[in-house]
Amino acid sequence: MLAFECDYLEGAHEQILKRLMETNYEKQPGYGSDKYCESAKAKIRKACGCPDADIYFLVGGTQTNATVIAGMLQDYEGVVAVKTGHVNVHEAGAIEYTGHKVLTVPSHNGKMHADELDEMLSTFWQDPNHDHMVFPGMVYISHPTEYGTLYSRQELMEISEICRKFQIPLYLDGARLGYGLMSRSTDVTLQDIAGYCDVFYIGGTKVGALCGEAVVFPNNNAPRHFFAIVKQHGAMLAKGRLTGIQFDTLFTDDLYFEISAHAINMAEELKAGFAKRGYSFYLDSPTNQQFVILSNKEIDKLQKEVSFDMWDKVDEEHTVVRFATSWATRKEDIKALMDLLDKKDNIES
Amino acid sequence: MLAFECDYLEGAHEQILKRLMETNYEKQPGYGSDKYCESAKAKIRKACGCPDADIYFLVGGTQTNATVIAGMLQDYEGVVAVKTGHVNVHEAGAIEYTGHKVLTVPSHNGKMHADELDEMLSTFWQDPNHDHMVFPGMVYISHPTEYGTLYSRQELMEISEICRKFQIPLYLDGARLGYGLMSRSTDVTLQDIAGYCDVFYIGGTKVGALCGEAVVFPNNNAPRHFFAIVKQHGAMLAKGRLTGIQFDTLFTDDLYFEISAHAINMAEELKAGFAKRGYSFYLDSPTNQQFVILSNKEIDKLQKEVSFDMWDKVDEEHTVVRFATSWATRKEDIKALMDLLDKKDNIES
Amino acid sequence: MLAFECDYLEGAHEQILKRLMETNYEKQPGYGSDKYCESAKAKIRKACGCPDADIYFLVGGTQTNATVIAGMLQDYEGVVAVKTGHVNVHEAGAIEYTGHKVLTVPSHNGKMHADELDEMLSTFWQDPNHDHMVFPGMVYISHPTEYGTLYSRQELMEISEICRKFQIPLYLDGARLGYGLMSRSTDVTLQDIAGYCDVFYIGGTKVGALCGEAVVFPNNNAPRHFFAIVKQHGAMLAKGRLTGIQFDTLFTDDLYFEISAHAINMAEELKAGFAKRGYSFYLDSPTNQQFVILSNKEIDKLQKEVSFDMWDKVDEEHTVVRFATSWATRKEDIKALMDLLDKKDNIES
Amino acid sequence: MLAFECDYLEGAHEQILKRLMETNYEKQPGYGSDKYCESAKAKIRKACGCPDADIYFLVGGTQTNATVIAGMLQDYEGVVAVKTGHVNVHEAGAIEYTGHKVLTVPSHNGKMHADELDEMLSTFWQDPNHDHMVFPGMVYISHPTEYGTLYSRQELMEISEICRKFQIPLYLDGARLGYGLMSRSTDVTLQDIAGYCDVFYIGGTKVGALCGEAVVFPNNNAPRHFFAIVKQHGAMLAKGRLTGIQFDTLFTDDLYFEISAHAINMAEELKAGFAKRGYSFYLDSPTNQQFVILSNKEIDKLQKEVSFDMWDKVDEEHTVVRFATSWATRKEDIKALMDLLDKKDNIES
């Protein structure tokens, strides 16, 4: 059975498992004070071009979002996100559980428009009753978005400028950051992100690690006592080495970028394959998630031999489905999928 | 440098790393629906003698405590723990962060006395103003306790009876459960715990795993929608296989019990070694944590060659220190420590 | 200076102040156990046709919404409201502060459409990933809405049926309930509300009282230990007599309905007066809030002699403004306002 | 039936009701922006000797404590109180509901000892693991305490110094502040309190008002956007005039102090009467709460004609009971109580 339903189907990149093996019996202190965390932080600081960055390793995405957002907001503040943002839809209310509202602006294939953000923030501050409302205290964007789309450098800069104008931090959720950075149609670098954002995370779980996300405060600007905040959120690993070793490996010899580029190559092949066969796409995704429109009949047939994610209904007879590639996708998987499409077409005709 | 400061100094048991390697490229669905989680659950159910148990795998101890406690309490309820309980002292307020008070009863070397619990609960319900107070809605104990001590079967039964009398659940924090079950002086089995508790967790992080705790609701009594509760607490791994494979391995061929017994053997050797050399103990611990009273001078000398945990001040010149063994402690480590003590004595004299 | 900007400009109905005076030196027990609370509850039960209703007196609207909603939801649940609902916009995030998301459906002049609610709930339950989302656990509507509009009996029944179909409670915010019940174009009675809702509150603050809202659980269905929940939310008055006496007075000899009818009469005069003078309305409000479209020039002039609420921008030159009447509005106030309009017109021409 | 069980048995001082009547039909803006709030603030600033004080009027004590404490703490901080402190025992967990732990130090008849506070704070900061613990972020004391006791000026100064040493604010709960200030054995003035505390509240509910507490930040040091915080806690009255008029009246012509002094006079008569008749006291209270030790037989007899509060068990045959006086206690009530004691004695003998 072929599987393309998400980008966390396999374990970890082999190099990570190898390093876990090699270091297994070294005695390392807990809670992130081990030498691998230190080494990983140094490498990430270098990759980001931020020698003063504060870096913390957390375990998963929802946890990271809740910890960072609650850790940076005042009680009376909420976080601004697009309506389709992960924090607004698919985190089981983890943000609200910490007491903070998610304030929404429209989503454009997962992206926020700077001008709509500007208008939302201006409207709030001009409202004479804004003291009775939730203060927008932070902006959350994801890159790539939940739709696989990317901000351009210009767009990112514009959002960042709006945030600075209103003096609120910009937070970028990089659960799939590698796939964004290695997209063939991006002009955004890791250094750009470190420059435009006040905090962001580099996703490990979906990019080669077993688990783990690296939170980066680029300018030594972590909230005071962020360690205690992480602990309070249950996000502190006793064996911090687990995330330390993984990120140290990912940021050695550009492994993170290399495996991300591989996933992009696989996605481009998949995309080209579908396009060549006359399929249309829900949107033009430049990253590892591809959204294809299939007829429900095709879906029924395909699902017998390949798994993918049901995304959204188009009409009574068509559905958007998502095919995701990852660092672990093999060239032969793509070929097998294409063969399946060809075979299916034959059968169908 | 020798190291005994805690029981999470190393990575994972080799068998676990081996299984992570072997299964690495299998495509498994996310969020705990993989086959390794299923298999691990079946094995744990069997070990607990609870064919209907609901089992969830979370990542770490503080997270597990917050998720289970908040998930089972009503808003107006708090959890009863001994004053020294982990939830009351060393979780950075993670329980209160979810809105719940930790109500305390006295600690007796880390243990709760059933009669004091009874009195506390009776006093609450007899107080005509109890509607103005936090309702005790759950009892939390740890086994082994933070002091390495253990409940006897009789003591556990008595606490359980008090809980049932007041119709509140009993929750057992088993961060070091293996070391409790394999102690030479316990009469408590895993089945006993499943019988006396309404929920408990089997600690992985400190007993051979890289991370992971297995929450067991013995009688199919998980709170409704506990999956969403886990997600909301940021405690859901995308790659659930990571905890699934680890617990599946630990509960194959009694590995969990075997490695726990090894840690106990090492602790008993360490204890005997200290005793033989005339050291006294803060308390008589039957598990992998040993609390030795050292003079501050001895501490200064020892710390140059061995790390251990500073626990509590005895008087101006003496301190209680903790030596912890684990599944990874080697016989030669104990011997080296003893040699050090002998050498130190020589030097000192 | 004339004032129409809201319906809480004056103190309390004289009869209330009189009763506060008369009973002032009676010694009454605290926290709502006084005889006036009891008497008020009996009268409200009778007015609602609910002999078994549980009734609690709280102090203000936002407080009541937060207490009721948090008191009835499970941690993983949110409350469904229209986008413009008070709980979603104007309560400074009080609902989220208790850990719960406000899930939104479209607003139609402040009203929820049963079919859109149905679709939202169906979509949630059909989504295979709903365990990663906030569970809709309750429906919140206001009546009158924030736009002064009202549900018909049929509409209320339909929303109630959807709630029952999905087994979630329906909560009605009646901050201005009296003005809704006494509208000339409603077919909804207090008994209807008690029949269709699982909980609602009868607003006092805006309908003749100094403060106070009466929460009604029509079928003896208050959450367990709701007293403690109210206390925990800081919503419990030590001198419960303050709300008891006020509601006892309001529900003696139909005072609540009588003064509400007066406000409606005043609103209808005001509305007719504006209409006669050729003004248009943002919407056709059947209650005490009237939304008139004025030119910005008119606004500038009028504001020198009468206060009203700026509601929303229509275009560059026109604005929707709100005029509110209340139990305390006098016939001569309306006349003075009309004279002002006439005078203004003269001046302007 | 005589009643001494608490100090909130009656309504409000007549002067307050008179002012509510006189101002009833004045149209005043909402949410504390009315002229009476302004006037009351000016008078309180003067009485406190703090021309720059920020002042907010809230409704009740538990609400005020939760709003102030949560409003001033960071997420990872808790509030330090004595074990018997109101926030720790009798607020239904309102503080924890906002996410913050109450950290305790011993209670000495309700009072905190500066040296024990110092030790607690020092111990925390010296603990190498304090990042895993709740940070003490604020100190809470009540004056008078829950036991009617008072801090001396010296004691208050010492606690204040400890707070400043550790750079955390000192918060004083003055639910019964008037009775403390007018005690015959205090050397603490309102100006002293304003000087030693970073925030405190002047209780209205128990000192002549129907409801209402005045929160004072002496040095223009209210948390940013405290209005929104108050609103978020449901503590904002729409008709702010209700608290404005009450505090304006209480702080006109020293009414607050005068009626407090009356309660003290009544308490001293009561105390002398009990003493003269050979009764012993649980402690020597200098304020309006008197704690008398009665035999259970006496209690049974007395309760038929006078209500008082059961406080604590002394032994099988004796109980501490509380008699509270207030601004509303009449000389004849004290006399009647004494007659009752004399009669009872006769009957008994």
Side-chain angles (χ1 to χ4, degrees):
Chain A
M1 182 94 175
L2 286 168
F4 289 93
E5 73 259 41
C6 69
D7 37 18
Y8 38 92
L9 290 165
E10 292 88 1
H13 190 274
E14 272 192 9
Q15 189 59 22
I16 282 177
L17 292 183
K18 188 164 159 275
R19 289 296 292 150
L20 286 175
M21 280 286 203
E22 288 169 1
T23 60
N24 193 46
Y25 287 110
E26 289 178 16
K27 291 179 195 293
Q28 290 293 333
Y31 304 111
S33 58
D34 60 280
K35 73 176 183 192
Y36 296 105
C37 282
E38 275 322 298
S39 167
K41 286 178 191 181
K43 288 172 185 169
I44 291 172
R45 281 190 196 103
K46 202 171 163 203
C48 295
C50 298
D52 298 326
D54 295 321
I55 298 175
Y56 292 83
F57 299 112
L58 277 71
V59 181
T62 294
Q63 178 188 84
T64 301
N65 287 335
T67 306
V68 169
I69 291 170
M72 295 189 80
L73 291 182
Q74 297 297 313
D75 280 3
Y76 53 85
E77 294 177 331
V79 59
V80 184
V82 295
K83 208 166 176 241
T84 56
H86 206 257
V87 291
N88 194 43
V89 186
H90 284 112
E91 303 194 344
I95 304 304
E96 290 83 2
Y97 190 64
T98 68
H100 300 283
K101 192 179 189 69
V102 181
L103 300 158
T104 58
V105 289
S107 165
H108 303 276
N109 285 338
K111 289 166 64 179
M112 184 181 289
H113 280 190
D115 55 347
E116 289 174 348
L117 173 64
D118 193 10
E119 196 199 332
M120 187 272 197
L121 296 172
S122 304
T123 302
F124 171 82
W125 286 104
Q126 285 161 17
D127 190 324
N129 289 320
H130 71 251
D131 266 354
H132 296 253
M133 298 165 73
V134 174
F135 283 58
M138 188 177 200
V139 171
Y140 164 97
I141 57 174
S142 46
H143 181 87
T145 68
E146 295 73 14
Y147 287 81
T149 50
L150 291 172
Y151 291 91
S152 70
R153 198 169 179 283
Q154 175 68 20
E155 289 168 337
L156 207 56
M157 189 190 72
E158 285 170 11
I159 291 176
S160 180
E161 278 172 4
I162 302 299
C163 290
R164 284 167 195 186
K165 174 173 150 194
F166 289 94
Q167 296 183 287
I168 56 177
L170 174 59
Y171 170 43
L172 182 147
D173 175 338
R176 296 182 169 98
L177 190 56
Y179 304 139
L181 294 172
M182 302 314 288
S183 165
R184 293 176 187 175
S185 31
T186 189
D187 60 350
V188 173
T189 66
L190 186 52
Q191 292 90 328
D192 290 335
I193 286 169
Y196 291 129
C197 299
D198 300 284
V199 53
F200 63 97
Y201 80 84
I202 302 171
T205 303
K206 290 169 179 163
V207 192
L210 287 163
C211 65
E213 325 294 329
V215 178
V216 182
F217 296 93
N219 304 305
N220 185 222
N221 60 322
R224 250 169 80 85
H225 301 305
F226 196 67
F227 182 99
I229 294 171
V230 170
K231 176 82 183 177
Q232 189 178 47
H233 281 260
M236 180 67 65
L237 278 177
K239 292 181 175 168
R241 69 198 292 150
L242 173 56
T243 42
I245 291 165
Q246 292 188 94
F247 274 97
D248 190 52
T249 307
L250 288 171
F251 280 83
T252 298
D253 297 337
D254 288 338
L255 182 62
Y256 188 75
F257 303 98
E258 203 176 273
I259 66 177
S260 296
H262 171 76
I264 292 297
N265 289 341
M266 293 300 98
E268 293 291 341
E269 279 197 26
L270 182 147
K271 189 180 181 178
F274 271 105
K276 191 177 132 193
R277 283 163 184 82
Y279 289 88
S280 57
F281 296 83
Y282 175 62
L283 53 78
D284 183 21
S285 163
T287 61
N288 73 315
Q289 303 180 78
Q290 294 296 325
F291 300 86
V292 188
I293 298 172
L294 296 182
S295 76
N296 296 348
K297 277 190 189 167
E298 281 173 308
I299 289 173
D300 286 347
K301 279 181 193 162
L302 270 178
Q303 280 183 328
K304 286 169 195 147
E305 303 188 60
V306 57
S307 58
F308 45 85
D309 195 37
M310 305 304 284
W311 195 258
D312 213 354
K313 189 175 155 175
V314 177
D315 57 35
E316 285 309 311
E317 290 171 18
H318 295 83
T319 302
V320 180
V321 305
R322 185 185 69 171
F323 288 84
T325 66
S326 80
W327 59 276
T329 306
R330 296 169 311 163
K331 229 173 151 52
E332 49 265 46
D333 297 333
I334 305 293
K335 185 167 183 315
L337 174 62
M338 293 304 129
D339 288 350
L340 209 58
L341 290 179
D342 293 337
K343 192 178 83 182
K344 183 193 62 64
D345 289 346
N346 294 338
I347 289 166
E348 200 165 19
S349 59
Chain B
M1 180 94 173
L2 287 168
F4 289 93
E5 72 259 41
C6 69
D7 37 20
Y8 39 91
L9 290 166
E10 292 88 1
H13 189 273
E14 272 191 8
Q15 189 60 22
I16 282 176
L17 292 183
K18 188 163 159 276
R19 290 294 293 149
L20 286 176
M21 282 285 203
E22 288 169 1
T23 60
N24 192 46
Y25 288 110
E26 289 178 17
K27 291 179 194 294
Q28 290 292 333
Y31 303 110
S33 59
D34 62 279
K35 73 176 183 192
Y36 297 106
C37 282
E38 275 321 298
S39 169
K41 287 179 191 180
K43 288 171 185 169
I44 290 172
R45 283 190 194 102
K46 204 172 160 199
C48 295
C50 296
D52 298 327
D54 295 322
I55 298 174
Y56 292 82
F57 299 112
L58 277 69
V59 180
T62 294
Q63 179 188 84
T64 301
N65 286 336
T67 306
V68 168
I69 290 170
M72 296 188 80
L73 291 182
Q74 297 298 312
D75 280 3
Y76 53 84
E77 294 178 331
V79 59
V80 184
V82 295
K83 208 165 176 244
T84 57
H86 205 259
V87 290
N88 194 43
V89 186
H90 284 112
E91 304 196 345
I95 305 304
E96 290 83 3
Y97 191 64
T98 68
H100 300 284
K101 192 179 189 71
V102 181
L103 300 158
T104 57
V105 289
S107 165
H108 303 275
N109 285 340
K111 289 167 64 179
M112 184 182 288
H113 280 189
D115 55 347
E116 289 173 349
L117 173 64
D118 192 10
E119 196 197 334
M120 186 271 198
L121 296 172
S122 303
T123 301
F124 171 82
W125 286 103
Q126 284 161 16
D127 190 323
N129 289 322
H130 70 253
D131 266 355
H132 295 253
M133 298 165 72
V134 175
F135 283 59
M138 190 176 197
V139 172
Y140 164 96
I141 56 174
S142 46
H143 181 89
T145 67
E146 295 73 15
Y147 286 80
T149 51
L150 291 173
Y151 291 92
S152 71
R153 199 169 179 281
Q154 175 67 22
E155 289 168 337
L156 206 56
M157 190 189 73
E158 285 170 10
I159 290 175
S160 180
E161 278 172 3
I162 302 299
C163 289
R164 283 165 197 187
K165 174 174 151 194
F166 288 95
Q167 296 183 287
I168 57 177
L170 174 59
Y171 170 42
L172 183 146
D173 175 336
R176 297 182 167 98
L177 190 56
Y179 304 138
L181 294 172
M182 302 315 289
S183 164
R184 294 176 187 174
S185 32
T186 187
D187 60 350
V188 173
T189 65
L190 186 53
Q191 293 90 329
D192 289 335
I193 286 168
Y196 291 129
C197 299
D198 300 284
V199 53
F200 64 98
Y201 81 83
I202 301 172
T205 302
K206 289 169 180 164
V207 193
L210 288 164
C211 65
E213 325 295 329
V215 178
V216 182
F217 297 93
N219 305 303
N220 186 220
N221 60 321
R224 249 167 82 85
H225 301 303
F226 195 67
F227 181 99
I229 294 171
V230 171
K231 177 81 183 177
Q232 189 178 46
H233 282 261
M236 179 69 64
L237 279 178
K239 292 181 176 168
R241 68 197 294 152
L242 173 57
T243 42
I245 290 165
Q246 293 188 93
F247 274 97
D248 192 52
T249 307
L250 288 171
F251 280 84
T252 297
D253 297 337
D254 287 336
L255 182 63
Y256 189 75
F257 302 98
E258 203 176 273
I259 66 178
S260 296
H262 170 77
I264 292 298
N265 289 341
M266 293 301 97
E268 292 291 342
E269 279 197 25
L270 182 148
K271 188 181 182 179
F274 271 106
K276 193 177 130 193
R277 283 162 185 82
Y279 289 89
S280 58
F281 296 85
Y282 174 63
L283 54 79
D284 183 22
S285 162
T287 60
N288 73 313
Q289 301 181 78
Q290 295 295 325
F291 300 86
V292 188
I293 297 171
L294 297 182
S295 75
N296 296 347
K297 278 191 189 165
E298 281 173 308
I299 289 173
D300 286 348
K301 280 181 194 161
L302 271 177
Q303 279 182 330
K304 286 168 196 148
E305 303 187 61
V306 57
S307 59
F308 44 86
D309 196 37
M310 305 304 284
W311 196 257
D312 214 352
K313 188 176 158 175
V314 177
D315 56 36
E316 287 308 314
E317 292 171 19
H318 295 82
T319 302
V320 181
V321 305
R322 184 184 71 170
F323 288 83
T325 66
S326 80
W327 59 276
T329 307
R330 295 169 312 164
K331 231 176 151 49
E332 49 265 47
D333 296 334
I334 305 293
K335 188 171 180 309
L337 175 62
M338 294 304 130
D339 289 349
L340 210 59
L341 291 179
D342 294 337
K343 194 178 80 181
K344 181 193 63 66
D345 289 347
N346 294 340
I347 290 167
E348 198 165 23
S349 58
Chain C
M1 181 93 173
L2 287 168
F4 289 93
E5 72 258 41
C6 69
D7 37 19
Y8 39 92
L9 290 166
E10 291 88 1
H13 189 274
E14 272 193 8
Q15 189 58 23
I16 282 176
L17 292 183
K18 189 164 159 274
R19 290 295 293 149
L20 286 175
M21 280 287 203
E22 289 169 1
T23 61
N24 192 47
Y25 288 110
E26 289 179 17
K27 291 179 194 294
Q28 289 293 332
Y31 303 112
S33 58
D34 61 280
K35 73 177 182 190
Y36 296 105
C37 281
E38 275 321 299
S39 168
K41 287 178 191 181
K43 287 171 185 169
I44 291 173
R45 282 190 195 103
K46 203 170 160 201
C48 295
C50 297
D52 298 327
D54 295 322
I55 298 175
Y56 292 82
F57 298 112
L58 277 71
V59 180
T62 293
Q63 179 189 83
T64 300
N65 287 336
T67 306
V68 168
I69 290 170
M72 295 189 80
L73 290 182
Q74 297 298 313
D75 280 3
Y76 53 85
E77 293 177 331
V79 59
V80 184
V82 294
K83 208 165 176 243
T84 57
H86 205 257
V87 290
N88 193 45
V89 186
H90 285 111
E91 303 196 343
I95 305 304
E96 290 83 3
Y97 191 64
T98 69
H100 300 284
K101 193 181 188 69
V102 181
L103 300 159
T104 57
V105 287
S107 165
H108 304 276
N109 285 340
K111 289 167 64 180
M112 185 181 288
H113 280 190
D115 56 346
E116 289 174 350
L117 173 63
D118 192 11
E119 197 198 332
M120 186 270 197
L121 296 172
S122 303
T123 301
F124 171 82
W125 285 103
Q126 284 161 16
D127 190 322
N129 288 322
H130 70 252
D131 267 354
H132 295 253
M133 298 165 73
V134 175
F135 283 58
M138 189 176 200
V139 171
Y140 164 97
I141 55 174
S142 46
H143 181 89
T145 67
E146 295 72 16
Y147 287 80
T149 50
L150 291 173
Y151 290 92
S152 70
R153 197 169 181 280
Q154 175 67 21
E155 289 168 338
L156 206 56
M157 189 188 74
E158 285 170 11
I159 290 176
S160 181
E161 278 172 4
I162 302 300
C163 289
R164 283 165 197 188
K165 175 174 149 193
F166 287 96
Q167 298 183 284
I168 56 177
L170 175 58
Y171 170 42
L172 182 147
D173 175 336
R176 297 183 168 97
L177 190 56
Y179 305 138
L181 294 172
M182 302 314 289
S183 164
R184 294 176 187 174
S185 32
T186 188
D187 60 350
V188 173
T189 66
L190 186 52
Q191 292 90 329
D192 289 336
I193 285 169
Y196 291 129
C197 298
D198 299 285
V199 54
F200 63 97
Y201 82 84
I202 301 172
T205 302
K206 290 169 180 162
V207 193
L210 286 163
C211 65
E213 325 295 329
V215 178
V216 182
F217 297 94
N219 305 303
N220 186 221
N221 60 320
R224 250 168 81 84
H225 301 304
F226 195 66
F227 182 99
I229 294 171
V230 171
K231 177 81 181 177
Q232 189 177 47
H233 282 260
M236 179 68 65
L237 279 178
K239 293 181 176 169
R241 68 196 295 149
L242 173 56
T243 42
I245 291 165
Q246 292 188 94
F247 274 97
D248 191 50
T249 307
L250 288 171
F251 279 84
T252 298
D253 297 338
D254 287 338
L255 182 63
Y256 189 74
F257 303 97
E258 204 176 90
I259 66 178
S260 297
H262 171 76
I264 292 298
N265 289 341
M266 294 300 98
E268 292 291 340
E269 278 197 27
L270 182 147
K271 189 180 181 178
F274 271 107
K276 193 178 131 192
R277 283 162 185 80
Y279 289 88
S280 58
F281 296 85
Y282 175 62
L283 53 79
D284 183 21
S285 163
T287 61
N288 73 315
Q289 302 181 78
Q290 295 296 325
F291 300 87
V292 189
I293 298 172
L294 297 183
S295 76
N296 295 348
K297 278 191 189 166
E298 281 173 308
I299 290 173
D300 286 347
K301 280 181 195 164
L302 271 177
Q303 280 183 330
K304 286 169 195 146
E305 304 187 60
V306 57
S307 58
F308 44 87
D309 196 38
M310 305 303 284
W311 196 257
D312 213 352
K313 187 175 159 177
V314 177
D315 57 35
E316 285 309 313
E317 291 171 18
H318 295 82
T319 302
V320 180
V321 305
R322 184 185 69 170
F323 288 83
T325 65
S326 80
W327 59 276
T329 307
R330 294 170 311 162
K331 231 175 150 52
E332 49 264 49
D333 297 334
I334 304 293
K335 186 166 181 314
L337 174 62
M338 293 305 131
D339 288 350
L340 209 59
L341 290 179
D342 293 337
K343 192 180 84 183
K344 182 194 61 64
D345 289 347
N346 294 339
I347 291 166
E348 200 165 21
S349 59
Chain D
M1 181 94 175
L2 287 167
F4 288 93
E5 73 258 41
C6 69
D7 38 19
Y8 38 93
L9 289 166
E10 291 87 1
H13 189 275
E14 271 191 9
Q15 190 59 23
I16 282 176
L17 292 184
K18 188 162 159 278
R19 291 296 292 148
L20 286 176
M21 280 286 203
E22 290 168 359
T23 61
N24 193 46
Y25 288 110
E26 288 178 16
K27 291 179 194 296
Q28 290 292 333
Y31 304 111
S33 58
D34 61 280
K35 73 175 182 192
Y36 296 105
C37 281
E38 275 322 299
S39 168
K41 287 179 191 180
K43 289 171 184 169
I44 291 173
R45 282 190 195 102
K46 203 173 161 199
C48 295
C50 296
D52 298 327
D54 294 321
I55 298 175
Y56 292 83
F57 299 111
L58 277 69
V59 181
T62 294
Q63 178 189 84
T64 301
N65 287 335
T67 306
V68 169
I69 291 171
M72 295 189 79
L73 291 181
Q74 297 298 312
D75 280 3
Y76 52 85
E77 294 177 331
V79 59
V80 184
V82 295
K83 208 165 177 245
T84 57
H86 206 257
V87 290
N88 194 43
V89 186
H90 284 112
E91 303 196 346
I95 305 305
E96 290 83 3
Y97 190 64
T98 68
H100 300 284
K101 193 180 188 71
V102 181
L103 300 158
T104 58
V105 288
S107 165
H108 304 276
N109 285 340
K111 289 166 64 180
M112 185 182 288
H113 280 189
D115 56 347
E116 289 173 349
L117 173 64
D118 192 10
E119 196 199 335
M120 186 271 198
L121 296 172
S122 303
T123 302
F124 172 82
W125 285 103
Q126 284 161 16
D127 190 323
N129 289 321
H130 71 251
D131 265 355
H132 295 254
M133 298 165 72
V134 175
F135 283 59
M138 188 176 198
V139 172
Y140 165 96
I141 56 174
S142 46
H143 180 89
T145 68
E146 295 72 16
Y147 287 81
T149 50
L150 291 173
Y151 291 91
S152 70
R153 199 169 178 282
Q154 175 68 21
E155 289 168 337
L156 206 56
M157 189 190 73
E158 285 169 11
I159 291 176
S160 180
E161 279 172 2
I162 302 300
C163 289
R164 283 164 197 189
K165 174 173 151 195
F166 288 95
Q167 297 183 287
I168 57 177
L170 174 59
Y171 170 43
L172 182 146
D173 175 338
R176 297 182 168 97
L177 189 56
Y179 304 139
L181 294 172
M182 302 314 289
S183 165
R184 294 177 187 173
S185 31
T186 188
D187 61 350
V188 173
T189 65
L190 186 53
Q191 292 90 327
D192 290 335
I193 286 169
Y196 291 129
C197 298
D198 300 283
V199 54
F200 64 98
Y201 81 84
I202 302 171
T205 302
K206 289 168 179 164
V207 192
L210 287 163
C211 65
E213 325 294 330
V215 178
V216 182
F217 296 94
N219 304 305
N220 185 223
N221 60 322
R224 248 167 82 83
H225 300 305
F226 195 66
F227 182 99
I229 294 171
V230 170
K231 177 80 183 177
Q232 188 178 47
H233 282 260
M236 179 67 65
L237 279 178
K239 292 182 176 167
R241 68 197 292 150
L242 173 56
T243 41
I245 291 165
Q246 293 189 93
F247 274 98
D248 191 51
T249 307
L250 288 171
F251 279 83
T252 298
D253 296 339
D254 287 338
L255 182 63
Y256 188 76
F257 302 98
E258 202 176 275
I259 66 178
S260 296
H262 171 76
I264 292 298
N265 290 340
M266 294 299 99
E268 292 291 341
E269 278 197 24
L270 183 147
K271 190 179 179 180
F274 271 107
K276 190 177 132 193
R277 284 164 184 80
Y279 288 89
S280 57
F281 295 85
Y282 175 61
L283 53 79
D284 183 21
S285 162
T287 59
N288 73 314
Q289 302 181 79
Q290 295 296 325
F291 299 86
V292 188
I293 297 172
L294 296 183
S295 76
N296 296 347
K297 276 190 190 166
E298 281 174 307
I299 289 173
D300 286 348
K301 279 180 195 161
L302 272 177
Q303 279 182 328
K304 285 168 196 148
E305 303 186 62
V306 57
S307 59
F308 44 84
D309 196 38
M310 305 303 285
W311 196 258
D312 213 352
K313 189 176 156 174
V314 178
D315 57 35
E316 286 309 313
E317 290 170 20
H318 296 82
T319 302
V320 181
V321 304
R322 185 185 69 170
F323 287 83
T325 65
S326 80
W327 58 277
T329 306
R330 296 170 310 165
K331 230 175 150 53
E332 49 264 47
D333 297 335
I334 305 293
K335 184 167 184 315
L337 175 62
M338 293 304 130
D339 289 349
L340 209 60
L341 291 178
D342 294 336
K343 192 178 84 181
K344 184 193 62 65
D345 289 347
N346 295 340
I347 289 166
E348 198 164 23
S349 58

